[in-house]
Amino acid sequence: MRYFHAVLAVCISLGICTRTSAQDCHIVLHGYVTDADTKAPLAFASVSIPSIQTGTMTDENGYYIMTHLCPNTAYDMHVSHLEALQLTKMISVSNNTEFNFSLTPAPSLQEVVIKEKAVVLQGLQSESVVSNIDLENSKGLNLGETLRKLPGVTTLNTGASISKPVIHGLHSNRIAIVANNVTLEGQQWGSEHAPEIDPFAADRVSVVKGAAGVRYGTGAMGGAVILEPAALREEPGLGGWVSLGGFSNGLAGIGSGAVDWHLPGRSLTFRVQGTSKRNGNLRAPDYWLGNTAAAETNLSAMAGWTVKNWKTELSASRFAQGLGILRAAHFPDATDSEQFPKYNNNAFTWEIGRPFQKIRHHTLKARTEWRFSERWKLSGQHALQFNHRREYDAHPPLSDPTDALQKPQISFQLWTNTFDLALEHLPIKHWQGGVGLQALYQNNEVGRGGSIPDYRTTGISFWATERWRKLAIPFEFEVGLRYDDRYSKVTTGGSLQNLDTSIQNRNVSGTLGLIYRIGSKWSLTFNTGSAWRPPHVNELFARGSNHGTAIYERGNNRLGSEKAWNNNLSLDYKTKSVLANVSIYRNSIRDFIYLNPTGRTVITIRSGPDGQPLYEYRQNDAVLQGFDANFSWSFLDAFAMEGRVSLLRAYRLIETIGSEQRVHEWLPLMPSDRYQYGLKWRIKSGSKTRFSNDVLSETYIRLTATSVSHQSRIALDQVPTPDNKFLKSPPPGFTTLALDAAHVCFFKKIPIEIGINIQNLGNIRYREYLNFFRNYVDETGVNVGIRMKIRF
């Protein structure tokens, strides 16, 4: 076996791995780590070379391998294990060499506290992470703006204040938003229902693209947005940060901060975090956007403690938001083409008048982990969420537009209980994974309005994933399987509908992922998976005016579940100066549900004599396929170029004459082609503080351009006609510029980060195709934001 490992190591260095760099660092060092007394192999021992920041772990046979070492170079090897004393040895090799280590057992092992985080395995699904620079720049804006710089991700907007993420053309109930390990459950079925998320509470934001139902449930058919808070403080004492900012457009002001406290002599640690934001009416390049003021106040708290092999965490959060809705969009004849929109209050004010929304979202979470052996752990989590959405109209006789204190015209209350139980293990015979159980109980009450019925949903899910990974083998793979069963009871009484029906949906989803590393620079990742989604209650039974978009929606109770098969192939290239990723995908969805304009109108007491445009839910087989690319190149030690491309082609399959003859027709509301490119100049500060041993930050200036093409791929029933003034042609393409910069200075060893961010630098007039208010007004004009963050 030892000879086999030695031959394998040589083959990897000579045949599979990428050829040597300029220093010809091609040496392979391999061997075994054993117990000095018993000679037994030590599994999962750490073997590292801190001077070059590289390391590995032994497998279950105690075998390790390290590649790309330089000949005739002295290395300090650090070898350690939980049950042995650490060994440090100086080694210099000139050829591929086997070197074995024997560790002396520790005299006695009392309590072991693990401080280091486990190495995070590379995801086998296409995944993009928001950079720290982009995350800090976008804080103070909404979640959609945080994600828009990622390839394959855009936003569906209702005006300038309401934004929700779109991944490869899918949004709302097809995208899971997971914050602090809790999947957000809110009234997100409406296009004007933005996620109830505070970006300041997140330390890391990533997007998983493609079918992610095995990991995140039926709501992740198109992917997931993952928001992770910073880890709780591990050292005794007090710390935290304060962030202040302001924006010129809307005269917005924002403040956020967090305080962490770790009790001395105990494992108990706390965090309290809060955010407050206020803005007045926003402004397009040539006029104010009437009734677009907003206010937001958020608060969260976390506590965690560890007792031997038990780890427990409690958290609570409250999101509160008030949003003004552009009143000019609530008049049926406001779509006439004019330089300035009709019925628009062209003035600045801080007031939030009718129509407007009030949203409250509360979350409580309790999670505990029990590591009952070296390799196994059992975890359980319970989360309670309450979402309360109230929508206030501006159409008499139901309301007085000047009175913001009357009762709402529409009110939704959604209670959600979720339970998660997981049994997971570290590598056993090269396999790592786990099994789990999830349960859901959800109750929705429509207090007023009745545009959708009341419903009660229960669900049970079982999942299992396993990942095979062996050191010195250039590939690894993962398999996953999930079963979901959902049961809903739908009831309502009233003038619009009188329902009492039960709906049950059950299905299986699965995933298979493979990664192949071609040397140290290239990696190829392939993922294929199935996912499904039952139709939401609004898609089945909606019947009424949509408050935010001023349209009339009609459900279809004959809709069935969506079934998707998603394939994604990604190629990554990474060196010290170049990062590149190219990804192609194809998502085939059977019985795809979409909201389609009919070209007809419905007259209601809120619409006026011309009525509101009628949209109906339809279902056809569909294909969404496209191409994403991301590239950055650092040169001359101070400059970096970056570029991103997102292309999507989405069409529905409609049967014509005969069951075999089918035609392609473009799907409505799909993102236009998008290109981003920019240049950054940076100076590394090299400053080290008591907060980190690494470089804290860098001084930089970055200029970024975003070009969006005209959306020419529209269905025939969406082409405007002289008889239908509600259908408008897609707006022309545009290019906008953005400038951002940041610098870190110190006051008595306390780091202070100062930044500036300018959006729509040229103050150009343009309209986004995926903005429901594009028929009425332009997008916002130039917006200068300044920010300051102090850590203590």
Side-chain angles (χ1 to χ4, degrees):
M1 180 63 70
R2 295 193 178 194
Y3 292 109
F4 169 76
H5 284 142
V7 172
L8 180 60
V10 173
C11 291
I12 290 173
S13 64
L14 296 180
I16 298 175
C17 294
T18 300
R19 287 295 182 182
T20 60
S21 63
Q23 298 179 358
D24 196 28
C25 297
H26 63 280
I27 301 300
V28 176
L29 180 67
H30 62 102
Y32 291 85
V33 178
T34 59
D35 186 295
D37 291 346
T38 65
K39 308 302 179 184
L42 293 178
F44 311 113
S46 171
V47 183
S48 63
I49 306 176
S51 61
I52 59 174
Q53 297 182 348
T54 188
T56 185
M57 294 184 69
T58 61
D59 62 14
E60 65 269 20
N61 298 314
Y63 179 74
Y64 76 92
I65 182 171
M66 303 186 73
T67 61
H68 301 296
L69 302 184
C70 301
N72 302 318
T73 301
Y75 294 108
D76 260 331
M77 304 285 295
H78 289 205
V79 186
S80 61
H81 190 271
L82 288 176
E83 300 178 0
L85 299 178
Q86 178 174 304
L87 174 67
T88 301
K89 193 173 186 64
M90 181 76 71
I91 292 179
S92 178
V93 294
S94 56
N95 297 299
N96 298 331
T97 304
E98 177 179 348
F99 198 97
N100 301 322
F101 298 94
S102 295
L103 300 186
T104 302
S108 60
L109 187 62
Q110 301 296 327
E111 180 180 9
V112 177
V113 179
I114 301 175
K115 295 288 187 180
E116 297 296 327
K117 292 183 179 179
V119 177
V120 178
L121 297 178
Q122 180 177 344
L124 297 186
Q125 282 189 269
S126 180
E127 183 178 15
S128 298
V129 180
V130 179
S131 68
N132 290 333
I133 289 176
D134 290 334
L135 184 59
E136 291 297 328
N137 277 332
S138 61
K139 286 180 177 178
L141 305 172
N142 52 52
L143 177 63
E145 291 298 328
T146 304
L147 303 173
R148 291 182 74 170
K149 287 189 176 181
L150 297 179
V153 183
T154 184
T155 57
L156 181 69
N157 299 327
T158 303
S161 303
I162 301 174
S163 179
K164 57 197 317 178
V166 179
I167 303 176
H168 291 167
L170 302 179
H171 58 84
S172 301
N173 290 322
R174 300 182 181 96
I175 302 297
I177 298 176
V178 184
N180 191 21
N181 205 43
V182 176
T183 301
L184 186 69
E185 297 286 349
Q187 301 283 354
Q188 61 169 330
W189 45 267
S191 58
E192 83 285 14
H193 298 173
E196 297 87 1
I197 290 294
D198 180 8
F200 279 94
D203 185 63
R204 185 179 187 271
V205 178
S206 60
V207 173
V208 176
K209 305 172 189 175
V214 171
R215 296 167 64 184
Y216 304 111
T218 58
M221 194 177 77
V225 179
I226 315 299
L227 299 99
E228 304 172 47
L232 290 170
R233 185 182 178 92
E234 296 181 348
E235 300 81 14
L238 193 69
W241 53 267
V242 174
S243 181
L244 301 174
F247 297 90
S248 63
N249 202 321
L251 300 182
I254 188 165
S256 185
V259 176
D260 287 79
W261 181 34
H262 191 293
L263 270 65
R266 298 185 180 182
S267 65
L268 192 59
T269 180
F270 300 93
R271 172 184 297 147
V272 177
Q273 185 269 332
T275 301
S276 181
K277 179 182 178 181
R278 186 77 166 93
N279 69 268
N281 280 351
L282 301 173
R283 183 175 174 83
D286 301 319
Y287 50 86
W288 295 99
L289 302 174
N291 199 44
T292 53
E296 184 177 317
T297 304
N298 309 314
L299 185 66
S300 65
M302 298 176 64
W305 63 93
T306 302
V307 179
K308 294 184 179 180
N309 53 351
W310 289 86
K311 182 178 180 181
T312 304
E313 179 184 295
L314 299 176
S315 63
S317 65
R318 177 184 185 269
F319 178 95
Q321 187 180 57
L323 289 172
I325 305 296
L326 182 76
R327 190 157 187 258
H330 278 229
F331 292 89
D333 59 344
T335 57
D336 292 344
S337 177
E338 293 186 354
Q339 183 178 2
F340 299 100
K342 282 186 176 183
Y343 313 111
N344 179 54
N345 181 19
N346 186 17
F348 177 82
T349 178
W350 294 95
E351 297 296 326
I352 301 176
R354 289 178 178 268
F356 67 97
Q357 299 178 356
K358 283 186 177 180
I359 305 102
R360 302 289 185 270
H361 192 91
H362 305 264
T363 303
L364 291 173
K365 186 193 82 169
R367 178 180 178 83
T368 187
E369 294 181 2
W370 175 37
R371 191 171 294 276
F372 56 88
S373 75
E374 185 180 276
R375 295 180 179 176
W376 289 90
K377 77 171 181 179
L378 181 67
S379 61
Q381 176 177 299
H382 172 227
L384 170 64
Q385 299 179 67
F386 173 61
N387 184 275
H388 190 192
R389 168 176 288 273
R390 288 165 289 178
E391 301 180 355
Y392 298 76
D393 230 326
H395 300 287
L398 293 184
S399 63
D400 179 359
T402 63
D403 185 1
L405 299 179
Q406 291 187 0
K407 294 181 179 180
Q409 275 62 59
I410 300 176
S411 176
F412 306 103
Q413 298 183 64
L414 181 67
W415 294 87
T416 305
N417 276 278
T418 54
F419 303 87
D420 294 82
L421 188 66
L423 178 64
E424 300 169 284
H425 65 88
L426 291 173
I428 300 175
K429 300 286 186 182
H430 310 298
W431 290 93
Q432 178 176 347
V435 296
L437 165 70
Q438 295 179 335
L440 174 142
Y441 176 81
Q442 192 170 73
N443 186 54
N444 184 85
E445 296 180 1
V446 181
R448 296 176 64 87
S451 59
I452 66 171
D454 297 343
Y455 63 89
R456 182 174 300 165
T457 297
T458 57
I460 188 74
S461 306
F462 302 93
W463 60 267
T465 62
E466 286 292 335
R467 182 164 181 164
W468 186 90
R469 178 174 182 261
K470 186 174 182 180
L471 299 174
I473 301 297
F475 67 88
E476 55 189 277
F477 65 89
E478 181 180 66
V479 294
L481 193 66
R482 182 186 181 99
Y483 170 80
D484 289 276
D485 192 331
R486 291 290 182 94
Y487 174 83
S488 296
K489 179 73 172 179
V490 182
T491 58
T492 188
S495 59
L496 293 180
Q497 302 176 60
N498 193 352
L499 297 173
D500 188 0
T501 185
S502 300
I503 305 170
Q504 186 165 21
N505 295 276
R506 57 172 69 98
N507 214 325
V508 176
S509 54
T511 184
L512 172 65
L514 173 70
I515 183 171
Y516 185 84
R517 295 181 178 85
I518 311 169
S520 60
K521 300 176 182 178
W522 295 89
S523 64
L524 187 67
T525 305
F526 173 72
N527 182 270
T528 182
S530 64
W532 73 287
R533 180 184 74 90
H536 194 270
V537 169
N538 78 295
E539 296 167 327
L540 295 169
F541 304 110
R543 188 177 294 269
S545 297
N546 189 311
H547 166 74
T549 55
I551 64 175
Y552 191 94
E553 291 186 9
R554 181 177 294 164
N556 182 352
N557 60 10
R558 296 183 300 274
L559 299 176
S561 297
E562 295 178 337
K563 282 80 67 178
W565 188 271
N566 186 276
N567 295 279
N568 190 292
L569 181 66
S570 297
L571 180 65
D572 290 271
Y573 178 78
K574 181 178 180 180
T575 66
K576 184 177 181 181
S577 59
V578 177
L579 295 174
N581 170 269
V582 176
S583 177
I584 57 175
Y585 60 91
R586 178 182 173 88
N587 196 0
S588 300
I589 304 178
R590 183 180 177 185
D591 296 327
F592 179 74
I593 302 170
Y594 57 96
L595 188 62
N596 195 71
T598 65
R600 305 190 303 273
T601 59
V602 174
I603 297 177
T604 71
I605 57 177
R606 301 177 183 174
S607 66
D610 292 331
Q612 289 180 321
L614 172 63
Y615 282 65
E616 292 182 337
Y617 285 97
R618 295 184 182 177
Q619 193 165 42
N620 293 107
D621 293 349
V623 173
L624 296 88
Q625 57 191 9
F627 167 87
D628 295 336
N630 192 12
F631 171 82
S632 66
W633 172 42
S634 301
F635 60 98
L636 299 179
D637 294 330
F639 294 91
M641 294 180 61
E642 58 184 27
R644 305 176 188 91
V645 179
S646 299
L647 308 177
L648 172 66
R649 302 293 180 265
Y651 55 88
R652 49 188 170 179
L653 304 173
I654 301 178
E655 294 186 357
T656 54
I657 302 174
S659 60
E660 299 299 326
Q661 186 178 1
R662 314 185 94 184
V663 296
H664 294 181
E665 190 172 90
W666 300 115
L667 278 171
L669 294 176
M670 289 293 143
S672 307
D673 296 343
R674 184 175 293 264
Y675 309 88
Q676 295 178 332
Y677 39 95
L679 178 66
K680 183 170 73 171
W681 172 78
R682 66 180 185 268
I683 299 177
K684 290 187 178 181
S685 64
S687 301
K688 296 183 179 180
T689 72
R690 60 186 173 89
F691 303 103
S692 173
N693 293 323
D694 301 323
V695 174
L696 177 68
S697 185
E698 61 184 15
T699 296
Y700 75 91
I701 300 176
R702 180 175 60 176
L703 179 66
T704 305
T706 300
S707 296
V708 178
S709 301
H710 167 72
Q711 180 57 285
S712 59
R713 295 172 295 279
I714 60 174
L716 293 177
D717 56 6
Q718 301 172 55
V719 176
T721 63
D723 299 331
N724 189 347
K725 61 184 177 182
F726 295 103
L727 288 177
K728 305 290 288 186
S729 298
F734 60 88
T735 296
T736 60
L737 296 176
L739 179 71
D740 59 284
H743 174 68
V744 176
C745 56
F746 292 85
F747 177 75
K748 295 183 179 179
K749 296 185 179 181
I750 296 178
I752 303 175
E753 181 177 347
I754 302 171
I756 184 171
N757 180 19
I758 307 177
Q759 297 176 303
N760 194 3
L761 183 62
N763 199 33
I764 69 166
R765 295 184 60 182
Y766 71 98
R767 301 193 181 192
E768 284 269 13
Y769 174 65
L770 287 187
N771 191 332
F772 277 96
F773 286 174
R774 65 177 174 85
N775 292 343
Y776 311 104
V777 293
D778 297 318
E779 298 289 335
T780 54
V782 62
N783 189 13
V784 180
I786 57 174
R787 59 185 173 86
M788 178 178 66
K789 188 172 186 178
I790 304 172
R791 303 177 188 270
F792 59 89

